[in-house]
Amino acid sequence: MRPNPALNGLRAIAILPVLALHAEPSKLPGGGLGVDLFFALSGYLITTSLLSEVAVSGSFSFRNFYARRVRRVRRIWPALGLGVVLAVVLYAAQPVPPVGRGMTTAVLLTLTQFGN
C-alpha cells in the first residue's frame, strides 16, 4: 500500500478536538468524535495494508505485520518521548503549577507510558 499523507493528516487533525475537549470540556462537548474518526481511519489504513499484503503474497503474516509496527515505533519513540517529557516538565514548571508536588510522579509516569 502506498502511503497516503492526506489520511495521516486527517488523523492528526482528528486529534485536535480531543485535545481541546481535555483542555476545556465546556467549550467543545463533542470533541470525543475525533477519537471515533481517528480509529475509523486507522482501521481503514491497517485493513488496506493487510489486504495489499494478501493480494501480493497470497497470505498474511502476523510476524511481518508486527515487525513493521516495531520498526515504526523505534523510529518515532525517541522524539515522542522527549516531546512528551518536555511538555510535562514545562506544564508543571508554571508559576502556579497545576501538577504541583506531583511533577516527579508525572514525569516518571510519562517516561514509562503509564500516565495519560
Side-chain angles (χ1 to χ4, degrees), residues 1-8 44-45 48-49 52 72:
M1 179 181 129
R2 290 183 18 221
N4 191 332
L7 291 180
N8 285 330
Y44 169 78
L45 291 169
T48 304
S49 172
S52 295
R72 287 184 181 126

Side-chain angles (χ1 to χ4, degrees), residues 21-83:
L21 173 68
H22 284 292
E24 198 66 45
S26 63
K27 299 220 178 184
L28 193 62
L33 292 175
V35 174
D36 296 335
L37 178 58
F38 177 85
F39 283 119
L41 287 169
S42 296
Y44 169 78
L45 291 169
I46 289 171
T47 302
T48 304
S49 172
L50 298 178
L51 292 174
S52 295
E53 182 178 345
V54 169
V56 169
S57 68
S59 66
F60 165 73
S61 166
F62 278 109
R63 173 179 272 162
N64 291 342
F65 176 77
Y66 284 106
R68 286 191 303 269
R69 295 282 163 256
V70 168
R71 282 193 301 271
R72 287 184 181 126
V73 167
R74 284 183 183 157
R75 188 182 69 230
I76 66 169
W77 193 266
L80 175 66
L82 179 64

Side-chain angles (χ1 to χ4, degrees), residues 61-113:
S61 166
F62 278 109
R63 173 179 272 162
N64 291 342
F65 176 77
Y66 284 106
R68 286 191 303 269
R69 295 282 163 256
V70 168
R71 282 193 301 271
R72 287 184 181 126
V73 167
R74 284 183 183 157
R75 188 182 69 230
I76 66 169
W77 193 266
L80 175 66
L82 179 64
V84 170
V85 170
L86 182 62
V88 168
V89 169
L90 291 174
Y91 183 70
Q94 294 177 31
V96 180
V99 180
R101 295 182 303 264
M103 181 177 160
T104 303
T105 303
V107 169
L108 288 174
L109 289 173
T110 300
L111 283 171
T112 57
Q113 294 293 306

Side-chain angles (χ1 to χ4, degrees), residues 1-20:
M1 179 181 129
R2 290 183 18 221
N4 191 332
L7 291 180
N8 285 330
L10 187 54
R11 284 193 311 170
I13 292 170
I15 295 303
L16 295 177
V18 178
L19 295 174

